[in-house]
Amino acid sequence: MDNISNEEFMEQVEESMVKIYPKDIVKGIVINVKEDEVFVDIKYRADGIIKTDEMSEEEAADPLKAFTIGDEIDVYVIKLDDGEGNVSLSTSRVEGLKNWKKLMDAYENGEVVKSSVKGSNSGGLVVKVMGINGFIPASQITTYFVKNFDQYIGKELDTKVINIDEKKKRVVLSSRALQEEKLDTVWETLIPDAIVTGKVVRMVDFGAFVDLGGVDGLIHISDISWDRIEKPSDALEVGQEVEVKILKANREKNRVSLGLKQLTEKPFDVFLNNHKVGDVVEGEVVNLLDFGAFLKLKEGVEGLVHVSQISTEHVEKPSDVLNVGDKMEVKILEIDEENQRISLSKRALMEPKQTEKENKVNSEKKQAPRKNNNVKNTPKVEEENTFGSNIGDLLDELNLED
């Protein structure tokens, strides 16, 4: 072997070394692992060193577990001399550069990325996405105004990248964009007369709000039940799943009116199918006013017993003889279909019926021939019979009145 000078030897060693520059990503072999740093052979004249602050969160938490001697890893060259003769390296920046590339692709392709909310400021939410710092402006958090940002801290949100600047290391994301896309699909189903399923999310005095899959609709208290209710909670409860009918839908105003009672047959129509004038029905007193008593019938409709129809005797006020909750049989006097009113009578069931004799006498009166004025001489016996009959009729009438 030819003798070579030290200078020539160093030149050969230098040529065998990999040429690296700051900001390069190179491969290296782990040669030593400590609790706070990792040494890497990058085939350079000096070994590389990775400090914990240049590791990923998982790696920095336990370098002894994250790195194994002999493993080949990708590292980012920060600078060629850290002041102690070592090359300063980073694994977190390698991951960051790869993730920046992934974010750029996600931005161009409109893909969904997961954002972890780490904090907030007056303008919105501070997040981490693929290990990179990002920001969700207040207007891009959701479709409605948000005052309390703290409620999102610690949560993971589905987001879309709406602006990215790799040089300035700035990423702006939106959760609202995804929600609006979802709402587009929901609004397509919110057509008047359509029947949809939702969940009761909150109740107020005037109605109940139902989540229809991202869009809230209102069931007004008057559209909850055909029965009279004092408050929505009389018929519904929060968390209950309900099938409702779309009455009105206005996307511009973000308003949806819903109906629950419209999915059942109207009680008045059921009543009309079951009853007619003259029928005897049973009802329960639900309201007493000076002019009469309202009775709730089996079908859920209400009818009025006028004060004059409560008894055969004079009644000053319905409350003098009736109480709310009383049940009684009544006769249907009148059905006003146009105004949906039902007139009832208790008195009609208390009045005596005509006797068979009255019916017979009335029938004979209707069938009796007219008197012939040309006949002058009428037999005396016939006059006596007629007089006797009249007296008998009169007595019968008097007895009936008694």
Side-chain angles (χ1 to χ4, degrees):
M1 181 174 172
D2 296 337
N3 293 327
I4 59 174
S5 64
N6 288 336
E7 187 176 337
E8 290 174 332
F9 176 76
M10 291 304 296
E11 288 178 358
Q12 289 179 9
V13 172
E14 189 74 28
E15 289 175 0
S16 67
M17 293 293 153
V18 175
K19 292 182 179 180
I20 63 173
Y21 303 93
K23 298 184 180 180
D24 281 352
I25 294 177
V26 298
K27 290 187 179 296
I29 303 296
V30 177
I31 58 176
N32 195 10
V33 181
K34 295 183 178 181
E35 291 184 354
D36 59 350
E37 57 189 11
V38 175
F39 291 91
V40 182
D41 177 12
I42 54 174
K43 295 182 180 180
Y44 189 61
R45 62 188 177 198
D47 291 332
I49 185 170
I50 310 170
K51 299 288 188 180
T52 52
D53 58 356
E54 287 296 338
M55 299 177 188
S56 67
E57 290 183 9
E58 185 178 354
E59 292 170 343
D62 190 352
L64 295 172
K65 183 178 180 180
F67 297 94
T68 303
I69 294 175
D71 284 352
E72 184 180 67
I73 60 174
D74 290 330
V75 289
Y76 176 88
V77 179
I78 301 174
K79 52 186 176 181
L80 298 178
D81 190 340
D82 63 354
E84 295 180 2
N86 297 311
V87 180
S88 182
L89 303 175
S90 172
T91 52
S92 63
R93 300 194 192 191
V94 172
E95 185 180 5
L97 288 172
K98 290 179 179 178
N99 287 338
W100 272 104
K101 177 66 169 59
K102 291 179 182 178
L103 274 180
M104 291 294 293
D105 291 341
Y107 174 59
E108 293 173 359
N109 299 324
E111 297 173 355
V112 178
V113 293
K114 296 286 186 180
S115 295
S116 298
V117 182
K118 300 299 181 181
S120 66
N121 55 39
S122 59
L125 304 178
V126 177
V127 301
K128 278 277 189 181
V129 52
M130 297 183 185
I132 299 170
N133 292 329
F135 186 69
I136 304 177
S139 62
Q140 296 299 320
I141 296 175
T142 187
T143 55
Y144 51 86
F145 175 73
V146 175
K147 186 176 182 180
N148 180 21
F149 297 153
D150 291 343
Q151 62 181 303
Y152 293 96
I153 295 176
K155 293 185 177 180
E156 191 173 65
L157 304 177
D158 286 335
T159 57
K160 269 191 171 183
V161 181
I162 57 176
N163 187 277
I164 188 168
D165 190 330
E166 188 174 1
K167 290 182 179 180
K168 294 182 179 180
K169 302 299 180 184
R170 185 175 64 189
V171 183
V172 182
L173 305 113
S174 172
S175 176
R176 175 178 178 170
L178 289 175
Q179 295 176 32
E180 288 182 337
E181 288 178 7
K182 183 180 178 181
L183 291 182
D184 288 340
T185 304
V186 175
W187 275 103
E188 288 177 1
T189 66
L190 304 183
I191 304 169
D193 294 330
I195 297 173
V196 295
T197 301
K199 183 179 290 186
V200 179
V201 290
R202 65 184 186 280
M203 286 188 276
V204 291
D205 291 341
F206 55 84
F209 285 95
V210 178
D211 179 11
L212 302 173
V215 177
D216 283 355
L218 172 67
I219 313 176
H220 192 270
I221 189 170
S222 62
D223 290 312
I224 292 177
S225 173
W226 291 110
D227 293 332
R228 187 183 301 172
I229 60 176
E230 295 295 327
K231 53 187 182 297
S233 57
D234 290 342
L236 298 169
E237 60 183 28
V238 173
Q240 179 180 347
E241 192 171 90
V242 291
E243 195 173 54
V244 290
K245 186 174 184 179
I246 307 294
L247 304 180
K248 295 179 182 179
N250 188 323
R251 183 166 187 180
E252 292 181 0
K253 295 182 178 180
N254 197 35
R255 292 180 183 173
V256 182
S257 297
L258 306 173
L260 185 61
K261 72 179 186 181
Q262 285 78 0
L263 296 181
T264 59
E265 191 173 2
K266 199 172 184 179
F268 195 83
D269 292 338
V270 177
F271 174 82
L272 289 178
N273 292 332
N274 295 340
H275 301 291
K276 63 183 184 301
V277 172
D279 285 355
V280 176
V281 294
E282 185 180 66
E284 180 181 342
V285 178
V286 292
N287 197 12
L288 293 171
L289 301 174
D290 290 343
F291 58 84
F294 283 94
L295 267 63
K296 186 175 182 179
L297 306 181
K298 182 178 69 175
E299 291 79 7
V301 297
E302 293 182 7
L304 173 67
V305 183
H306 191 269
V307 64
S308 64
Q309 295 297 325
I310 292 177
S311 174
T312 53
E313 299 178 357
H314 175 72
V315 175
E316 187 69 29
K317 292 187 301 182
S319 57
D320 292 340
V321 294
L322 295 174
N323 296 300
V324 172
D326 287 351
K327 293 182 179 180
M328 60 182 184
E329 285 191 335
V330 289
K331 186 176 183 179
I332 300 173
L333 297 183
E334 183 183 358
I335 300 175
D336 184 347
E337 293 186 29
E338 184 177 351
N339 297 306
Q340 297 186 11
R341 292 175 181 172
I342 305 167
S343 296
L344 306 171
S345 175
K346 176 68 175 176
R347 175 180 174 179
L349 300 180
M350 300 167 69
E351 292 178 337
K353 298 179 181 178
Q354 288 183 321
T355 62
E356 291 184 4
K357 185 174 182 180
E358 284 180 297
N359 292 333
K360 182 178 179 181
V361 169
N362 291 335
S363 176
E364 289 176 350
K365 285 181 179 180
K366 291 179 181 178
Q367 295 177 3
R370 292 182 179 179
K371 186 176 180 180
N372 189 345
N373 294 328
N374 294 327
V375 179
K376 295 182 179 180
N377 297 321
T378 303
K380 184 177 180 181
V381 175
E382 185 176 347
E383 289 179 358
E384 290 177 354
N385 290 339
T386 301
F387 176 78
S389 298
N390 290 339
I391 289 294
D393 291 343
L394 179 59
L395 289 173
D396 286 339
E397 289 179 7
L398 290 174
N399 289 334
L400 286 175
E401 288 179 357
D402 292 338

